[in-house]
Amino acid sequence: MAAPKKSAAKETAQDKAGGASPSNVPPFTKEQELGAFREMLLIRRFEEKAGQLYGMGAIGGFCHLYIGQEAVVVGMQMALREGDQVITGYRDHGHMLACGMEANGVMAELTGRRGGYSKGKGGSMHMFSREKSFFGGHGIVGAQVSLGTGIAFANRYRGDGRVCLAYFGDGAANQGQVYESFNMAELWKLPVVYVIENNRYAMGTSVTRSSAQTDFSKRGVSFNIPGEQVDGMDVRAVKAAGDKAVAHCRAGNGPFILEMQTYRYRGHSMSDPAKYRSREEVDKIRNDQDPIEQVRKRLLALDMTEDDLKAIDGEVRKIVNESADFAQHDPEPDPSELYTDVYR
């Protein structure tokens, strides 16, 4: 028997003014606004270019774009210090760029070239950078939560004061391994921030139809893990929440859960036409809550001009265009690479 549908009129957590509101979020300095604007714009332009290359057939396999969710990774990265680690799922290009990984290396991995971060052998979902403390995108739903918990265990064992951010989505939040990880993390007071990127639809089913508890910040209640809902479309709110959660972990108080209420503009992957939602819904979010547009308006309210911001956009587009050119002309891996970095 099919489960009864929840009323479409029922207000979801994402429809409310959840999390920190502009009135109680610490303002950014001009330098912080500019930094956030540039980083989010880099992710946006990179993903747009990746979508173009996928359409041209230059990128094969799966490709999950991060357009619309940029404020989450940029704000959280602003709350970290050098040495803190990041691990995420397969919607991962934005996380890589926010960690400081080079656009050339990320794009080259998408096209399967030897200059990619996994030497062209990992593709979109499997890139790593020990130098930038990025422990990978992961294709198995929820797998990164257990791995991120393990990274946090290593941090506590070494006593190095580092914190691990483990990102996952609203769909992965229903995985059993997530709760096993929660239990161990709280039991051993591990320094891990679980960042739930709630973009409302998981692969294509609304959270109101797939989750009995749609307030994901409460998912750690039975394990005594504190949590907060955050406006994931406002980079200032994200950083403020990130500062609090990271400080909680670094002080030895155990894990913290942040539910980032965000939204993806594209389908789940490049092969998803996203017919499960209306064009009007997407356009309303774009027009009213776009994370980059929010920062742009605040910069214009300062002493920045449209020409100033267009110049930044031009610099970002140049970086992205160069990465696309590199990714299409860099040599493919030598066949011998099939046998390197393989454990027997």
Side-chain angles (χ1 to χ4, degrees):
M1 178 177 177
K5 292 184 179 181
K6 295 186 179 181
S7 172
K10 182 178 178 181
E11 185 180 41
T12 67
Q14 296 79 16
D15 296 323
K16 303 174 185 176
S21 64
S23 61
N24 60 15
V25 171
F28 272 8
T29 64
K30 179 181 177 181
E31 289 70 25
Q32 287 176 313
E33 295 279 27
L34 278 170
F37 180 75
R38 187 186 184 282
E39 290 301 308
M40 289 194 291
L41 200 57
L42 174 62
I43 295 170
R44 177 74 58 90
R45 298 296 181 238
F46 183 95
E47 294 290 65
E48 289 171 347
K49 180 62 69 174
Q52 292 174 10
L53 292 180
Y54 191 92
M56 294 164 53
I59 296 174
F62 291 100
C63 186
H64 306 81
L65 303 182
Y66 200 64
I67 297 173
Q69 300 183 210
E70 298 90 350
V72 177
V73 289
V74 172
M76 287 303 300
Q77 203 64 29
M78 294 173 76
L80 300 184
R81 69 187 188 195
E82 187 174 356
D84 291 337
Q85 304 102 340
V86 170
I87 190 168
T88 189
Y90 42 75
R91 196 179 307 281
D92 52 5
H93 314 148
H95 301 73
M96 299 168 193
L97 295 172
C99 285
M101 293 168 67
E102 296 293 332
N104 278 12
V106 178
M107 195 71 84
E109 188 61 40
L110 294 181
T111 58
R113 306 304 174 107
R114 66 176 64 177
Y117 272 99
S118 292
K119 300 179 181 178
K121 299 185 290 184
S124 174
M125 299 187 288
H126 305 100
M127 285 182 249
F128 307 82
S129 174
R130 173 172 286 184
E131 178 188 10
K132 299 298 182 180
S133 299
F134 181 75
F135 283 77
H138 294 268
I140 303 301
V141 176
Q144 73 277 14
V145 181
S146 301
L147 296 173
T149 303
I151 293 170
F153 178 82
N155 291 342
R156 186 180 185 279
Y157 186 82
R158 298 180 182 123
D160 55 22
R162 294 176 176 175
V163 173
C164 178
L165 300 187
Y167 290 88
F168 55 106
D170 47 286
N174 295 320
Q175 289 279 322
Q177 60 190 314
V178 170
Y179 299 96
E180 294 182 40
S181 298
F182 283 179
N183 185 60
M184 288 185 283
E186 176 60 25
L187 186 65
W188 298 329
K189 299 297 180 185
L190 304 184
V192 54
V193 180
Y194 295 112
V195 185
I196 304 176
E197 297 191 84
N198 180 5
N199 61 26
R200 308 191 188 192
Y201 288 102
M203 285 187 69
T205 302
S206 169
V207 294
T208 60
R209 295 183 58 209
S210 59
S211 297
Q213 172 56 274
T214 58
D215 184 343
F216 293 92
S217 68
K218 295 180 179 178
R219 291 300 182 97
V221 168
S222 62
F223 304 100
N224 296 319
I225 300 176
E228 285 188 8
Q229 284 186 327
V230 184
D231 179 359
M233 305 299 276
D234 185 344
V235 68
R236 301 168 304 170
V238 173
K239 181 185 181 299
D243 286 339
K244 177 180 178 180
V246 169
H248 173 93
C249 294
R250 219 181 295 280
N253 297 317
F256 203 99
I257 294 173
L258 293 177
E259 178 199 345
M260 297 294 173
Q261 298 181 334
T262 186
Y263 197 82
R264 56 172 167 78
Y265 298 164
R266 302 290 185 90
H268 171 70
S269 67
M270 287 297 296
S271 60
D272 173 20
K275 293 182 178 179
Y276 41 81
R277 59 185 182 181
S278 68
R279 170 49 57 186
E280 291 74 21
E281 177 184 303
V282 179
D283 289 343
K284 181 173 176 54
I285 299 294
R286 273 186 176 271
N287 294 332
D288 297 347
Q289 299 181 47
D290 185 77
I292 299 175
E293 183 63 18
Q294 290 185 49
V295 179
R296 191 185 76 85
K297 289 180 178 178
R298 292 197 296 269
L299 285 169
L300 290 174
L302 297 172
D303 59 354
M304 301 292 291
T305 67
E306 288 283 4
D307 287 342
D308 293 330
L309 301 185
K310 286 180 180 178
I312 295 173
D313 193 8
E315 294 169 3
V316 166
R317 288 179 184 274
K318 181 179 178 182
I319 292 170
V320 171
N321 288 336
E322 289 176 352
S323 74
D325 184 65
F326 175 76
Q328 294 177 87
H329 295 93
D330 190 50
E332 294 185 353
D334 187 272
S336 64
E337 279 293 332
L338 287 171
Y339 303 98
T340 61
D341 304 316
V342 176
Y343 292 95
R344 293 184 176 88

